[in-house]
Amino acid sequence: GNRLWATYYGGSLDDRGFSIATDTAGNVYISGYTASISAIASGGFQNSFGGSFFDAFLVKFNSAGNRLWATYYGGTGYEYGYGVATDLTGNVYMTGPATSTVSIASGGFQNSFSGGPYDAFLVKFTSAGNRLWGTYYGDAGNDGAYDVATDARSNVYITGYTNSPNGIAFGGFQNTLS
């Protein structure tokens, strides 16, 4: 029950952490969103604020509480980093809702924004903070993701919300929007 370390994390504007995960080496990852244009990113995939309002962020600390790297994740709109998870090989996943039509998806399942108010996004980073791929997930409605998980086979799962009648469900228990 003794505190080992604690830290503030943010800049001069609105900064919010939403999810936390650890990896097998004891590193700690926090995802969230920020309006701060400084004091957030260092040594990660996106070191400059991309949005006009909010960008998602992902930060990695070692087990002693030292920041190893951090990245913004966003384009010209709003992005929120609501969920973070790691896999057994040290990769890091972040998910949330996005409004940006650029800078989000590359090499993923859905590389174009679908046109609704929000699409969910899922991005995979290496343990060093390099993006491996990113994808939107959504259709013409309002779609977003709240959390992400992985399993022992490195499959990735997201959960969230939608009002899109198409493009979401496939091969599952309920394949139509009710």
Side-chain angles (χ1 to χ4, degrees):
N2 296 318
R3 178 174 59 190
L4 299 179
W5 59 268
T7 186
Y8 290 107
Y9 196 76
S12 61
L13 297 174
D14 192 6
D15 312 297
R16 298 180 187 204
F18 276 93
S19 189
I20 191 166
T22 59
D23 64 18
T24 57
N27 297 302
V28 179
Y29 300 85
I30 298 172
S31 68
Y33 69 84
T34 182
S36 295
I37 60 172
S38 63
I40 300 296
S42 176
F45 167 74
Q46 181 181 336
N47 292 312
S48 298
F49 187 77
S52 56
F53 298 102
F54 292 108
D55 272 359
F57 74 83
L58 178 62
V59 59
K60 178 181 181 178
F61 296 95
N62 68 14
S63 61
N66 301 305
R67 182 176 73 176
L68 300 177
W69 57 261
T71 185
Y72 290 107
Y73 198 73
T76 57
Y78 296 136
E79 278 71 51
Y80 306 97
Y82 284 155
V84 64
T86 61
D87 66 22
L88 295 177
T89 60
N91 296 304
V92 186
Y93 303 83
M94 182 172 59
T95 195
T99 65
S100 296
T101 60
V102 296
S103 303
I104 301 301
S106 176
F109 167 76
Q110 181 182 334
N111 292 312
S112 298
F113 188 79
S114 69
Y118 285 91
D119 272 0
F121 76 86
L122 175 64
V123 59
K124 179 180 182 179
F125 295 96
T126 66
S127 63
N130 301 308
R131 182 176 73 174
L132 295 172
W133 53 259
T135 186
Y136 292 107
Y137 195 75
D139 203 54
N142 190 15
D143 313 298
Y146 285 128
D147 208 358
V148 58
T150 63
D151 65 19
R153 295 184 186 164
S154 294
N155 293 306
V156 183
Y157 307 89
I158 62 172
T159 186
Y161 58 90
T162 185
N163 65 8
S164 292
N166 299 305
I168 302 297
F170 174 79
F173 170 74
Q174 181 178 343
N175 294 309
T176 57
L177 185 67
S178 75

